[in-house]
Amino acid sequence: MAIKKVMVIGAGQMGAGIAQVCAQSGFEVLLNDRDKDALQAGINGIEKLLTRNVEKDRLTEEEKAATLGRLSLSNTLKDAASCDLVIEAVVENMDVKTAVFRELDMYTPKHTILASNTSSLPITEIAAETKRPDQVIGMHFMNPVPVMKLIEIIRGLQTSDETYEAIQAMSLQLSKIPVEVKDFPGFVSNRILMPMINEAIYTVYEGVATPKDVDQVMKLGMNHPMGPLTLADFIGLDTCLYIMEVLHEGFGDSKYRPCPLLRQYVKAGWLGKKTGKGFYEYR
Ligand code: NAI
């Protein structure tokens, strides 16, 4: 089955990036958000990025116009009826996601594949909310989507080979590199990244080093482009805590316990870059 038209649900930082990459790669895209302002902000952001690419000679004016021509906006999930693939990128909340999938299951034709960009929630559980669990799959893009090459493709317990192969082919059409992963807490990316970030927070909590020095060690010593605490601020400390909790609960292993300092920062509303304060201050 050829994928021609895609709906992306959620016009936030991930959804807008996914919509942009799909449209740039020749797919017809419907960008959906239930919040009109978020939808407008999403499309404005895409336009701005495309303009910057034209200025930097990475894109021609014609390619920019063609990309925008393939993008339309939607504020009802009923519009998914015309799509071959839906990629959901709404907030990381199981109740919100399952409600979206139940609706999509009603509105979309039989052949439509339903994908989630979740960074930690079980695909198998989301799939079980639909009558087509074999056509539900995880497509975990990395942030910022237009720049990062990887897509972790997560196979739920019931995901079929046909669905997997269609999404693998689509990922290559997006000029991304897909990696197949089974549906276990944190998949591969966050199972490895988040405990490293959590351990970096423990070193600060235990007074071993300052945030700046922890980041310096990992940048200069391990050649990481960004220190783990800078990265944590960028991802959002609430998201980091949420994923550590998913790992802790999912594996039942104390090695995944979230650092008390991470909990305290989240309780204080210090969520990183998006709130102006985390391990660093942002103006
Ligand atoms: P965000 O908060 O920037 O955007 C979420 C958008 O979804 C908002 O615009 C909101 O209005 C919309 N939304 C919420 N409920 C909706 C509904 N029922 N129908 C339609 N729209 C709805 O969130 P972000 O960061 O883009 O994350 C989205 C998903 O991507 C989450 O599952 C997250 O875990 C995952 N993710 C995030 C990464 C990151 O670095 N931020 C990286 C990889 C995955």
Side-chain angles (χ1 to χ4, degrees), residues 9-16 18 32-35 38-39 77 88-93 96-97 100 116-121 140-143 190 234-235 239 243:
I9 308 176
Q13 54 174 343
M14 293 305 290
I18 296 168
N32 171 285
D33 203 297
R34 63 179 176 188
D35 174 344
L39 196 54
L77 295 184
E88 166 278 314
V90 305
V91 283
E92 189 75 345
N93 176 300
V96 179
K97 286 199 196 284
V100 167
S116 175
N117 180 51
T118 177
S119 34
S120 63
L121 298 170
H140 185 205
F141 291 80
M142 304 292 132
N143 188 12
N190 282 322
F234 179 66
I235 295 169
T239 304
I243 297 172

